[in-house]
Amino acid sequence: MSARVALVTGGTGGIGTAIVRRLADSGYRVATNYRNEDKARAWQAQLRADGYEVALAAGDVTDHVAAEAMVREIEGQLGPVDILINNAGITRDGTFHKMKPDQWQDVINTNLNSIYNVTRPVIEGMRERKWGRIIQISSINGLKGQYGQANYAAAKAGMHGFTISLARENAKLGITVNTVSPGYVATDMVMAVPEDVRAKIAADIPTGRLGRPEEIAYAVNFLVADEAAWITGSNLDINGGHHMGW
């Protein structure tokens, strides 16, 4: 059997890149989407210099027509998508009483509506082949909320509602659906926060530090394995103890 195909949306970002690398290290054929071709080609060239060959396809995940075209392009390059990591996400922070409609819609479209747009074109093939892995990359703030992030928290919480429903619908067909909810990870977005603010965040984390993108990628790699076939409908918190539930 040829190596399985993994699609990671938002794969050129900090967590996305770590996931792409980890899945490639495990022998999967990996692809991601892009909106800015120059940036994506530079990213691809850097990974190629590091020994990774990653397929690229243009695709705006907020548009269902563009998302389906992106999936079909990747299938043309690599074959049917067996593993889908819904990782694309943005922030447009602001207190709700001052939040503009575009701040709300942009975040909901990119973080939540996108998972319909990208999952819908791959789910039928997974059901026919009776194997699949789908993972949503949510957030600690979808669990506990965050000041100034009503839009982001709503979208990230909605991702797990999607997970548990899709998991029930497809469990008997060899398809698992799970959520990973990272805490504060040292990506470019987080590192752009003023140092004193980051220090306060780290001080509130029991492990005393921010997470690393590679630690999130490790969890994703675990959940897509054949041996993880009995794990579905779950949310895996990875936050250094910053938020604990059961």
Side-chain angles (χ1 to χ4, degrees):
M1 184 181 71
S2 61
R4 288 184 168 125
V5 175
L7 167 58
V8 183
T9 67
T12 62
I15 290 176
T17 298
I19 293 171
V20 165
R21 288 173 177 265
R22 183 72 192 223
L23 294 177
D25 285 339
S26 293
Y28 301 108
R29 291 177 292 159
V30 187
T32 191
N33 67 302
Y34 67 83
R35 294 181 67 179
N36 182 322
E37 184 168 6
D38 290 342
K39 178 182 176 182
R41 295 299 176 189
W43 174 88
Q44 184 185 45
Q46 180 59 62
L47 262 67
R48 186 174 288 136
D50 293 338
Y52 297 93
E53 193 61 47
V54 180
L56 289 176
D60 179 356
V61 297
T62 70
D63 180 280
H64 71 95
V65 174
E68 180 168 3
M70 176 264 293
V71 169
R72 302 306 172 217
E73 168 64 20
I74 288 167
E75 289 176 337
Q77 292 185 53
L78 300 180
V81 174
D82 303 297
I83 297 164
L84 172 61
I85 314 300
N86 283 309
N87 170 70
I90 61 170
T91 58
R92 296 287 185 269
D93 295 350
T95 53
F96 185 74
H97 66 282
K98 295 181 179 180
M99 188 172 288
K100 304 299 183 184
D102 63 317
Q103 289 177 278
W104 178 269
Q105 294 294 344
D106 287 352
V107 170
I108 296 298
N109 284 336
T110 302
N111 297 13
L112 185 58
N113 290 340
S114 65
I115 66 176
Y116 169 85
N117 295 337
V118 182
T119 307
R120 186 65 182 82
V122 305
I123 190 67
E124 290 183 21
M126 290 179 177
R127 288 171 63 90
E128 290 171 4
R129 296 187 300 276
K130 293 184 169 53
W131 198 94
R133 297 286 186 267
I134 300 170
I135 298 175
Q136 279 59 253
I137 306 299
S138 182
S139 168
I140 184 175
N141 291 340
L143 301 168
K144 71 176 186 62
Q146 178 61 32
Y147 187 93
Q149 286 195 331
N151 49 1
Y152 184 80
K156 291 299 187 178
M159 293 176 88
H160 190 57
F162 175 84
T163 285
I164 56 181
S165 295
L166 202 65
R168 285 186 177 275
E169 291 181 10
N170 293 282
K172 291 184 178 179
L173 294 170
I175 300 166
T176 68
V177 190
N178 293 288
T179 302
V180 171
S181 293
Y184 289 90
V185 177
T187 60
D188 290 344
M189 183 173 67
V190 172
M191 297 307 288
V193 172
E195 186 175 354
D196 61 324
V197 176
R198 282 189 279 116
K200 290 178 181 177
I201 292 171
D204 197 37
I205 300 173
T207 58
R209 65 171 176 85
L210 301 176
R212 296 189 295 270
E214 293 76 15
E215 292 172 311
I216 311 306
Y218 172 84
V220 170
N221 194 59
F222 162 72
L223 288 170
V224 303
D226 284 334
E227 295 84 350
W230 217 46
I231 305 172
T232 195
S234 295
N235 177 56
L236 179 55
D237 296 335
I238 311 176
N239 57 47
H242 197 182
H243 178 76
M244 302 183 191
W246 69 299

